[in-house]
Each structure stands twice: as C-alpha cells, then as structure tokens.
Amino acid sequence: MSGLTVLVVDDEALARNDLAWLLSQADDVDKVLTASSGTEALKHLGDGTAVDALFLDIQMPSLNGLELARLLKNYKKSPATVFVTAYEEYAVDAFSLEACDYLLKPVDEGRLDQTIRRLLRSVAGNQTSGDSFATLTCRVGSSSFTIDRDEIVIVEAAGDLVRVHTAEDTSHLVRESISSLTAAWASSGFLRIHRSYLIRATNIERVRTSGGARSVEIWGQQLPVSRRYNRLLDDYFARQA
C-alpha cells in the first residue's frame, strides 16, 4: 500500500483549498483531489478514480455531505469518510454512517494527523486480515526469503521501497511502503518519527535535543525526529511513565 489518495468535497473554495493544502503536506497522503459539490464528487468516483477517503463538508447545496455518504453506502467498495464541518450537532448522524472521523473547522494540523493515522489503519485493515505484515518477503536476485517483524528495529524509506534494519545489524530492501508498515505495526510497538523512519520504540536508547532539533539514538545510530512527529514521541514516553 502506498500513501492515501483523498478527495476533499466542500462548496466553499477557501475551506476546500485550505484543507487540500494541509493534506498535501502530510507524509502519508500521496494525492489530493477536490470537488466543489456532492455531484462533482460522484463524477470523480463514477469515472473510476480510485479514492481511499473522502473529506466531506456537511452543509452543501443540492446534495449535502450526509446524503452523499448515504449514497456511497450502496457502492460495492466505498471510500472511508471523514466529515469536516463547523457544527457539532451532526456527529451522531455522521457516526451512524460509520464515519472514520469527524473534524471541526477550522481544522487543526495535529488533529488532522490523528485522522490520517486512523485512515491508514482502516485502509490497511480492509486490504489485509489477521496479523498484518507479521513477516516481510525480501528478494535478492532470483531468490527470496522472509524476515519476521520481531527481528526489525528500524524501517527506512527508500524511494518506492523500504530498507529494514535488524537487531543483528543486517539490512534488506522490501517492496512495501513506510506508510503501510506504519499503519499495520502501530499496535506492535513501532513509532513513526520522521517521514523516512519508523522505529521499534523500545529500542530507543536516548533522545537528544540540539538547536531545537530532536533525534533519537538506536543501536548507535542518530535518527532525526521531525516536528510533525514530536507529539507522537512525547505521547509514547508519557504512556511509559
């Protein structure tokens, strides 16, 4: 699984463009589409555009967000739905339609990050069953072998692939994305600290701060912690306290 493709549906151009921009900055979002109405959104979906999630305004003329979500329930494979509105009173109706999340305008960037992680888990859960990615398949030339998740300490993005580093100080290229592994391994002790790094949190030896920038040390390696993931690192240590 690569990053998410999302469709922002809002009749207000400023709100639509602001949310589209925030989503475009997210590491785990590959493509952001926009629509100014529920009808335009249906056209996107009807022409075969593959969309993982809709970010839906509720109060729109003609076809509002709740009505659009109800229509999508008739699809054989409908995208996940996130409602984005200035009003709290629609939350019960939204979650009755199995919404993945409900965001209040103006959308907070940190809160949006939580929604994206929830969407990643939802999409990964729909694509796989059981213990997701408990083993990974590595290929060397014409041969292949498997590596257990429990052997892996660091996952490093490498273009369209990832390089997994093990406790035995070996590394292997795997044809998966760091986004899919982040979603699948969130409950297995792995923590995203940077768009390029996913780590086993229990292997953190120390955290350093220099010039306002943070890094973690694992097996003698210094890995950067990006601003976007600072909160996740703090939350992890708060849970351990």
Side-chain angles (χ1 to χ4, degrees):
M1 173 188 148
S2 58
L4 299 169
T5 296
V6 301
L7 173 60
V8 178
V9 188
D10 197 320
D11 63 309
E12 296 181 4
L14 182 60
R16 182 174 67 247
N17 293 336
D18 282 351
L19 180 55
W21 184 84
L22 282 175
L23 285 163
S24 72
Q25 303 307 298
D27 297 337
D28 297 307
V29 175
D30 278 353
K31 188 174 184 181
V32 182
L33 307 171
T34 61
S36 59
S37 67
T39 302
E40 187 180 349
L42 286 174
K43 289 180 181 178
H44 272 294
L45 299 172
D47 67 11
T49 302
V51 174
D52 297 305
L54 297 180
F55 283 76
L56 281 178
D57 184 29
I58 290 182
Q59 291 194 332
M60 294 186 292
S62 182
L63 184 65
N64 69 39
L66 293 171
E67 292 167 340
L68 175 57
R70 290 190 186 100
L71 281 176
L72 294 177
K73 288 297 178 185
N74 297 319
Y75 281 48
K76 185 175 181 180
K77 185 179 180 182
S78 61
T81 302
V82 176
F83 287 101
V84 187
T85 179
Y87 306 96
E88 295 183 2
E89 60 263 31
Y90 299 109
V92 173
D93 290 334
F95 286 113
S96 73
L97 292 168
E98 299 179 340
C100 186
D101 212 342
Y102 190 92
L103 299 176
L104 291 176
K105 297 178 180 178
V107 177
D108 174 76
E109 184 178 352
R111 180 69 177 82
L112 184 60
D113 284 345
Q114 294 176 13
T115 299
I116 291 169
R117 292 197 297 274
R118 185 175 294 179
L119 285 170
L120 285 166
R121 289 194 296 270
S122 175
V123 172
N126 288 337
Q127 292 179 349
T128 60
S129 60
D131 194 2
S132 300
F133 301 108
T135 61
L136 299 178
T137 300
C138 309
R139 297 187 181 279
V140 178
S142 59
S143 63
S144 64
F145 60 96
T146 59
I147 183 170
D148 290 341
R149 176 186 57 209
D150 293 343
E151 299 175 49
I152 297 168
V153 178
I154 300 169
V155 179
E156 180 182 4
D160 294 332
L161 309 176
V162 293
R163 180 173 293 279
V164 297
H165 301 262
T166 72
E168 286 73 33
D169 200 26
T170 62
S171 69
H172 309 280
L173 282 174
V174 178
R175 193 172 294 280
E176 293 292 347
S177 74
I178 197 167
S179 298
S180 60
L181 296 181
T182 297
W185 292 356
S187 61
S188 300
F190 282 81
L191 181 69
R192 187 78 172 266
I193 59 167
H194 190 277
R195 68 182 305 152
S196 297
Y197 293 104
L198 173 68
I199 63 172
R200 184 180 294 280
T202 54
N203 285 94
I204 295 175
E205 295 165 10
R206 58 180 57 87
V207 179
R208 300 179 185 273
T209 302
S210 177
R214 299 176 86 185
S215 63
V216 297
E217 184 174 329
I218 296 182
W219 290 86
Q221 294 189 56
Q222 295 292 326
L223 303 178
V225 180
S226 66
R227 181 182 61 84
R228 178 179 293 273
Y229 294 102
N230 268 329
R231 182 181 298 179
L232 292 182
L233 185 64
D234 290 339
D235 288 349
Y236 168 76
F237 285 116
R239 290 194 302 271
Q240 305 311 306

